[in-house]
Amino acid sequence: MDDVDFRFMDFKEIIENLIVKGNSPSIHEAIDRLFMDIANINRESMAEMQDAQVEEMAVNLWNWAVTRRVGLVISEEQKAKLQHVACKLVCMCEDSAVSEEAIQKQILMNMKTGKGWLDVGNAVTADEFFQVAIAGLEQLYVRLMQRSSTEAHVAMQKIAVERDLFKVLSYQAESAVAQGDFQRASACVLRCKDVLMRVPKKTRYLHILCYNFGVETYKQNKYEESSFWLSQSYDIGKMEKNSIGPEMLAKVLRLLATAYLDWDDREYYDKALSAINLANKEHSHPAGLFLKMKILLKGEIANEELLEAVMETLHLDASLDVCLNIAKLLMDHDRESVGFYFLKIICEHFKSSENIGKALLLHIDMLLERKEELLAKEKIEEIIVGHQTGRQLTTELVGCLHDILWKKAARSFEVHNYPDALQWYCYSLRLYASDQMDLDLAKLQRNMAACYLHLKQLDKAKVAVAEAEQRDPTNIFTQFYVFKIAVLEGNSDRALQAITSLENLLTAEEPEENNLLTDRGSTVMLLSLAAQFALEHGQQIVAGKALEYLAQYSEDPQQVLTALKCLFRLVLPKVSQMPESENKKKEMDRLLTCLNIALLKLAQFFDGKASTSDSRTNEAHWFRKIAWNLAVQCDKDPVTMREFFMLSYKLSQFCPSDQVILIAQKTCLLMAAAVDLEQGRKASTTFQQTRLLNRALEQIHKCRDIWNLLKETGDFSNDPCETLLLLYEFEVKAKMNDPFLDSFLESVWELPHLESKTFETIASLAMEMPACYPSIALKALKRALLLHKRKESIDVLKYSKCMHNLINLLVPERVLSAELCPLEEVWGYFEDALHLISHTEGYPETEILWLMVKSWNIGIFMYGSSKYVSAEKWCSLALRFLDHLGSLRRSYEIQVRREMAWVDGMTRAAAGFYRGSQWDSTLLD
């Protein structure tokens, strides 16, 4: 159906379209529009319509509202609004008051419209329609009286009018009660009551109405009004006992007595007692008997009179439950002598009942509450013996007796009276069959074990725990007591097994369902207690395992950190003394896991924000130092060392960034980067090497940021950090074949503070596989050599090594080519070395030998290339180096001079006659 837009229609069009197309989505808007407009509609505004047309439209709207409400298309409030509109339209018609039928229609519509508003909670609007209905009834009454011919006809018409009058008055009473107008409501009800003689069928309705008024006002603590309505309800109910039974009348009277009691138990005591006596006379009910005792206890009645009233309940065949409730009520009001006597009478009176155990249990409970323990124990013994010899209690009552006994035992346990607690638990144990498998029995055995442990009776405790384990082995508390027994016996293996069982129960995907507390929090609590218990009894290994699980599973960050600190204090001294072994590696891995947990929990504390708590910062400092110390101990295991240094760095991020922390962070990152570089050198695959080098580069960048901050805090000119970062980054970029390596080095060459060692390292890294950058290596070595020469006192050892590497790079072993090797440049380096050797002591003889051999071999290479002058020059240079050899000179001198003479002769001969011929020559090693 197409939607209908009611916004641009007039009043009449809306009604017509609403009736024709009533399922429109905008139906609610149309109803609200009609309801708002009717206040501004009068007969003149609808002058083009006849009264009959207006009335027909109103009736159609009324009927549509009723049928649509039945179909749940509209709500009760919307129905009331439509009836409101229809009723107003009918009342506008000038001919509406002409006929009796029209008046009756108006009365009916006003009554129903008022009731509709009353049902949706709009009592004020409802009153307007009720008033119109009353006026219509008065008008109808006059009309009827004027045309009635006989007295019988008058009486019949009068009854018809009064029936509707009764209905309207009852509605008005409801409206008045809803508005809190007691005077108007009571006046309406009293008028209804006067009409009842002529409409007796309405007696039950008015009786129920007054009762409901009484209940409603009682709930509002309006006891005076409630008592009036309940009194009226009872009076009206007595008028029609055929339709209103004694049960209902007694119910009204019991509430009336309660209202009096709550209103003022002193002033209205007699009225309350009279009402409840009358109620019990009408119909005996457990609630009435109990209420009577409650009222009597409010007065200052003597025990003798009270006992007489109590005994009356037995004569009225009150049930066992009622009698027991009365006995308990007597006890609660300190009428113990009457209460205990009545309990005795009850036990005798109901001795053949299968539920007599209820009375016995209440007797025991009352005795225990009043510290009459000896008498209570006698009763308990009586019940247990009877239960074991045929007079068995029901399952429910056995459970109740267990509850009583356990509560008493628990109270004794709380005050450290363990023998007494055991006695109560033993009573409970006797109620179980020997072969009974019950989880509560396992709990009982655990509770007994706890008492035995406090009494230092280890053997008995062990037996009780064994029984509990047999019945409920997967219970966390069972395993906890197994653990305690094992610790007390010094059985570390069994204790560790119990701790592991606790951990398994904690991680079980589907824990067994039972009535015991097996939630995660309880298990964590037991792990904490287990650790404490083990420490108290010197079981450090066991305590360590409990602390480890506690830290792993507790959701309380502070508890986790405390457990970890305790664990580290236990384990660290032992780990520090362990030799390098697989066991030490396992312990280090364990501590690494624990530190990761500490990091996680500290992160929860800080949650990305700086902490203002000194205790939190101190925790971070403590774990940071532990991670640092463990890293230092892992010098034989660089991978683990790196993990500890990185943990120390991460933990330090929760500490204030002062100079000490910045230095620590810098060192941690440097060490971690160094390890990654070393592992990268050893990597077996390209992928693994790339991963390690990238990770190292990330740490280098972080470290450089920290280093820049650190330099602002003081003088660190002697700190090698910047040089190390430079070398580390160069190595990463070189090994990863970084295309921007040269641009990176441009700034490096300009740095003024770099030492020769740094350049030598750059040269070495430039040629270390998979890197191969000979030009960079040469440039670095030349700078290193220059720095060596600039020093006032040359370190000949370092100089010789640098010179060796430079020459070796310029003239590689077994690779000689005049095109590849710049021999003039190389000659200069040989001359520099020879000059230093000539003027300085301490040049390593092996290096002099190497220079001699190197220059000789170059000479031989020149000779082989028919460059005889160059050959003589290089070989002569070799002889000059030979002159500076010490102990090695004799072994090389004869050979070199013989070869030199041969070369000299061959050179002259070749120059004159045999140029271009091949000659045998000797390379020196």
Side-chain angles (χ1 to χ4, degrees):
M1 182 181 290
D2 296 336
D3 194 7
V4 181
D5 194 343
F6 293 101
R7 292 175 296 171
F8 306 107
M9 299 180 184
D10 61 20
F11 190 81
K12 178 185 174 185
E13 286 179 308
I14 293 175
I15 293 177
E16 290 173 350
N17 278 279
L18 189 64
I19 294 171
V20 174
K21 299 181 178 180
N23 289 331
S24 169
S26 55
I27 185 173
H28 307 305
E29 296 177 13
I31 294 172
D32 291 338
R33 170 87 181 276
L34 288 174
F35 180 67
M36 289 187 294
D37 288 352
I38 192 63
N40 302 317
I41 298 293
N42 53 36
R43 191 65 187 89
E44 288 74 18
S45 62
M46 304 179 68
E48 76 282 0
M49 297 181 67
Q50 299 293 324
D51 282 351
Q53 292 176 306
V54 175
E55 185 172 350
E56 181 184 3
M57 181 172 66
V59 171
N60 287 338
L61 182 63
W62 179 281
N63 292 337
W64 184 88
V66 172
T67 56
R68 283 294 181 270
R69 178 58 195 148
V70 171
L72 300 177
V73 176
I74 60 175
S75 66
E76 284 288 353
E77 184 176 7
Q78 290 168 333
K79 174 187 170 186
K81 287 180 178 180
L82 291 176
Q83 288 180 328
H84 180 113
V85 172
C87 188
K88 290 289 186 181
L89 288 174
V90 168
C91 292
M92 288 179 191
C93 298
E94 295 176 355
D95 296 336
S96 63
V98 174
S99 66
E100 292 177 8
E101 182 181 352
I103 295 173
Q104 287 176 339
K105 182 185 292 183
Q106 280 192 25
I107 293 169
L108 178 63
M109 292 179 76
N110 277 286
M111 284 171 53
K112 288 187 175 292
T113 301
K115 187 66 168 70
W117 281 120
L118 188 61
D119 289 343
V120 297
N122 194 339
V124 175
T125 303
D127 282 342
E128 296 176 15
F129 290 92
F130 294 147
Q131 289 294 339
V132 175
I134 290 289
L137 284 169
E138 290 174 352
Q139 184 182 2
L140 179 63
Y141 182 76
V142 171
R143 291 281 188 92
L144 291 173
M145 291 301 101
Q146 287 175 352
R147 72 175 181 78
S148 295
S149 56
T150 64
E151 192 171 319
H153 187 261
V154 170
M156 185 177 66
Q157 295 295 334
K158 189 175 182 180
I159 289 172
V161 172
E162 289 189 330
R163 187 183 298 112
D164 287 338
L165 178 63
F166 177 90
K167 190 177 291 186
V168 177
L169 287 171
S170 67
Y171 292 162
Q172 285 184 312
E174 282 190 67
S175 177
V177 169
Q179 297 176 69
D181 190 347
F182 173 69
Q183 295 299 327
R184 186 158 64 90
S186 59
C188 291
V189 167
L190 290 175
R191 285 187 66 187
C192 288
K193 193 174 178 182
D194 292 339
V195 177
L196 276 181
M197 295 298 294
R198 293 178 289 281
V199 285
K201 290 184 179 180
K202 294 293 182 179
T203 302
R204 179 174 178 80
Y205 170 80
L206 189 60
H207 160 73
I208 296 297
L209 185 67
C210 288
Y211 176 74
N212 290 338
F213 289 165
V215 172
E216 186 175 343
T217 50
Y218 177 81
K219 290 178 179 178
Q220 298 170 359
N221 299 327
K222 297 178 179 179
Y223 302 120
E224 184 176 4
E225 294 179 20
S226 179
S227 61
F228 170 81
W229 294 121
L230 294 169
S231 296
Q232 290 299 320
S233 178
Y234 177 66
D235 290 343
I236 294 166
K238 288 193 300 182
M239 295 166 60
E240 185 56 51
K241 287 201 171 185
N242 291 331
S243 61
I244 301 169
E247 294 88 352
M248 185 63 196
L249 292 175
K251 184 178 181 180
V252 173
L253 288 167
R254 286 196 298 273
L255 184 55
L256 176 60
T258 304
Y260 281 134
L261 200 62
D262 292 343
W263 186 4
D264 190 330
D265 56 8
R266 291 185 177 275
E267 184 174 352
Y268 297 101
Y269 172 82
D270 292 335
K271 287 188 175 183
L273 187 59
S274 175
I276 197 59
N277 283 332
L278 193 55
N280 291 337
K281 185 177 179 182
E282 287 282 356
H283 176 71
S284 179
H285 188 275
L289 299 174
F290 185 80
L291 182 57
K292 181 178 179 180
M293 295 308 304
K294 189 175 178 181
I295 294 170
L296 288 173
L297 288 168
K298 291 286 185 180
E300 297 179 356
I301 185 172
N303 282 346
E304 292 77 10
E305 297 177 61
L306 187 61
L307 181 60
E308 185 179 340
V310 166
M311 296 302 294
E312 184 183 348
T313 60
L314 290 176
H315 300 148
L316 293 172
D317 292 330
S319 67
L320 174 61
D321 287 337
V322 172
C323 292
L324 293 178
N325 286 334
I326 291 173
K328 193 172 185 309
L329 184 67
L330 292 168
M331 298 293 189
D332 292 342
H333 284 78
D334 298 325
R335 298 296 185 101
E336 296 177 5
S337 59
V338 179
F340 278 120
Y341 181 77
F342 188 46
L343 271 175
K344 182 179 178 182
I345 298 299
I346 291 171
C347 291
E348 180 63 29
H349 185 77
F350 292 98
K351 62 183 178 181
S352 59
S353 171
E354 63 177 6
N355 291 319
I356 184 60
K358 288 184 178 180
L360 297 173
L361 292 187
L362 180 62
H363 200 167
I364 292 169
D365 204 18
M366 294 298 103
L367 288 170
L368 290 175
E369 282 187 9
R370 284 148 186 83
K371 311 298 183 185
E372 297 286 347
E373 293 190 2
L374 289 177
L375 291 175
K377 288 177 180 179
E378 290 178 7
K379 289 288 182 184
I380 292 168
E381 284 286 352
E382 179 184 333
I383 289 176
I384 292 175
V385 170
H387 184 68
Q388 293 173 340
T389 56
R391 299 195 308 274
Q392 290 191 341
L393 298 173
T394 63
T395 303
E396 180 184 359
L397 291 177
V398 170
C400 292
L401 181 54
H402 280 308
D403 286 342
I404 292 171
L405 296 170
W406 284 31
K407 285 178 182 177
K408 181 59 183 170
R411 284 195 289 269
S412 296
F413 191 92
E414 287 172 1
V415 297
H416 310 298
N417 189 352
Y418 305 115
D420 190 59
L422 270 173
Q423 189 173 10
W424 296 110
Y425 282 133
C426 286
Y427 282 136
S428 179
L429 184 62
R430 289 167 61 189
L431 289 168
Y432 285 101
S434 59
D435 59 346
Q436 190 170 352
M437 297 298 291
D438 189 291
L439 294 179
D440 282 339
L441 179 53
K443 183 177 180 179
L444 175 61
Q445 294 284 5
R446 291 195 298 269
N447 291 343
M448 294 179 70
C451 294
Y452 286 130
L453 288 175
H454 281 289
L455 294 171
K456 310 297 183 186
Q457 297 177 10
L458 184 58
D459 291 339
K460 291 183 178 180
K462 190 174 180 180
V463 171
V465 170
E467 292 285 338
E469 191 173 18
Q470 182 182 354
R471 290 174 171 81
D472 193 10
T474 61
N475 183 275
I476 57 172
F477 296 102
T478 299
Q479 291 302 321
F480 179 67
Y481 281 109
V482 170
F483 165 81
K484 293 185 79 171
I485 296 293
V487 169
L488 290 172
E489 290 183 332
N491 189 341
S492 298
D493 292 339
R494 186 72 176 98
L496 286 170
Q497 183 182 346
I499 287 292
T500 304
S501 297
L502 278 175
E503 192 262 348
N504 291 337
L505 291 172
L506 188 62
T507 56
E509 293 183 2
E510 296 181 0
E512 292 187 12
E513 292 292 333
N514 55 46
N515 294 326
L516 300 173
L517 189 63
T518 58
D519 62 323
R520 183 183 185 91
S522 296
T523 309
V524 169
M525 175 197 70
L526 291 181
L527 286 171
S528 176
L529 293 174
Q532 181 180 349
F533 191 77
L535 285 173
E536 290 172 354
H537 292 82
Q539 294 279 350
Q540 293 190 354
I541 295 175
V542 176
K545 181 57 70 174
L547 289 167
E548 186 178 349
Y549 287 145
L550 177 61
Q552 188 175 349
Y553 295 108
S554 174
E555 295 178 357
D556 179 357
Q558 187 55 59
Q559 185 181 46
V560 171
L561 295 176
T562 303
L564 288 174
K565 289 174 77 173
C566 188
L567 175 61
F568 278 113
R569 290 189 177 106
L570 283 177
V571 176
L572 277 178
K574 296 179 181 177
V575 173
S576 301
Q577 297 173 6
M578 292 175 70
E580 294 300 325
S581 61
E582 189 63 29
N583 286 336
K584 183 172 183 178
K585 179 68 170 65
K586 289 179 180 178
E587 285 299 305
M588 284 296 185
D589 290 341
R590 176 188 178 195
L591 295 177
L592 190 63
T593 301
C594 292
L595 278 172
N596 274 304
I597 294 172
L599 176 65
L600 179 64
K601 296 305 176 181
L602 281 168
Q604 291 178 12
F605 272 136
F606 288 86
D607 194 22
K609 303 172 185 176
S611 175
T612 56
S613 169
D614 288 340
S615 62
R616 298 282 182 265
T617 303
N618 290 338
E619 299 277 20
H621 271 301
W622 195 90
F623 285 106
R624 174 187 71 82
K625 293 174 182 176
I626 292 294
W628 177 283
N629 292 337
L630 286 169
V632 172
Q633 293 180 36
C634 292
D635 55 322
K636 299 291 192 300
D637 184 359
V639 175
T640 305
M641 178 176 68
R642 178 205 176 274
E643 296 303 317
F644 280 122
F645 271 128
M646 284 305 297
L647 272 172
S648 183
Y649 163 72
K650 292 174 182 177
L651 289 162
S652 71
Q653 291 180 303
F654 300 123
C655 305
S657 296
D658 56 22
Q659 190 181 77
V660 172
I661 292 299
L662 290 173
I663 292 173
Q665 290 177 340
K666 175 209 68 171
T667 308
C668 288
L669 290 170
L670 276 176
M671 295 299 294
V675 171
D676 281 337
L677 286 172
E678 180 62 28
Q679 294 303 308
R681 297 181 195 115
K682 300 175 182 177
S684 57
T685 64
T686 303
F687 172 79
Q688 186 180 12
Q689 183 182 61
T690 302
R691 180 181 65 81
L692 290 165
L693 293 177
N694 277 323
R695 192 166 71 175
L697 188 61
E698 180 183 346
Q699 287 144 199
I700 290 165
H701 290 160
K702 288 180 181 178
C703 188
R704 181 168 284 114
D705 292 337
I706 292 170
W707 172 244
N708 290 334
L709 291 174
L710 186 59
K711 286 189 292 186
E712 297 174 3
T713 67
D715 179 14
F716 291 91
S717 56
N718 295 323
D719 194 312
C721 176
E722 191 157 357
T723 301
L724 290 173
L725 290 174
L726 185 153
L727 293 173
Y728 290 172
E729 187 167 2
F730 172 75
E731 180 176 357
V732 172
K733 290 179 179 292
K735 282 186 169 61
M736 295 180 68
N737 197 22
D738 191 323
F740 302 104
L741 182 60
D742 288 331
S743 60
F744 167 75
L745 284 172
E746 284 177 8
S747 59
V748 175
W749 303 132
E750 303 302 323
L751 294 174
H753 60 277
L754 295 183
E755 298 179 353
S756 57
K757 177 63 177 176
T758 304
F759 287 115
E760 290 179 60
T761 306
I762 290 175
S764 175
L765 293 173
M767 298 303 294
E768 188 176 275
M769 292 297 292
C772 185
Y773 297 94
S775 61
I776 293 175
L778 280 172
K779 191 171 184 178
L781 286 172
K782 289 175 183 178
R783 288 179 176 269
L785 193 62
L786 183 61
L787 289 174
H788 280 302
K789 293 166 67 176
R790 283 179 180 175
K791 293 181 180 179
E792 293 182 5
S793 175
I794 298 178
D795 186 330
V796 290
L797 291 176
K798 293 180 179 179
Y799 176 89
S800 66
K801 183 179 179 182
C802 182
M803 180 62 77
H804 182 120
N805 292 333
L806 177 59
I807 293 174
N808 202 45
L809 191 62
L810 286 167
V811 189
E813 297 289 345
R814 304 296 181 185
V815 182
L816 288 174
S817 170
E819 290 76 19
L820 295 177
C821 304
L823 292 179
E824 291 184 8
E825 182 183 354
V826 175
W827 178 268
Y829 292 123
F830 274 92
E831 286 284 357
D832 286 344
L834 187 59
H835 181 268
L836 182 65
I837 292 168
S838 301
H839 295 85
T840 308
E841 294 182 358
Y843 205 99
E845 188 176 12
T846 55
E847 289 298 323
I848 298 173
L849 177 62
W850 183 85
L851 289 168
M852 182 196 77
V853 172
K854 195 75 170 176
S855 57
W856 178 265
N857 289 343
I858 293 173
I860 297 302
F861 171 75
M862 290 292 120
Y863 179 81
S865 301
S866 300
K867 295 179 180 180
Y868 304 116
V869 175
S870 294
E872 182 180 9
K873 175 183 174 182
W874 281 100
C875 289
S876 297
L877 179 63
L879 290 174
R880 292 165 67 189
F881 282 112
L882 177 64
D883 291 338
H884 293 282
L885 286 177
S887 58
L888 298 173
R889 178 174 177 174
R890 178 173 298 178
S891 61
Y892 282 92
E893 185 173 18
I894 297 172
Q895 180 186 357
V896 170
R897 291 194 182 280
R898 183 176 63 247
E899 293 292 336
M900 185 60 195
W902 177 81
V903 169
D904 184 53
M906 289 301 103
T907 299
R908 287 194 298 272
F913 304 103
Y914 308 110
R915 189 173 304 274
S917 300
Q918 295 299 317
W919 294 91
D920 185 24
S921 61
T922 303
L923 287 173
L924 295 179
D925 291 329

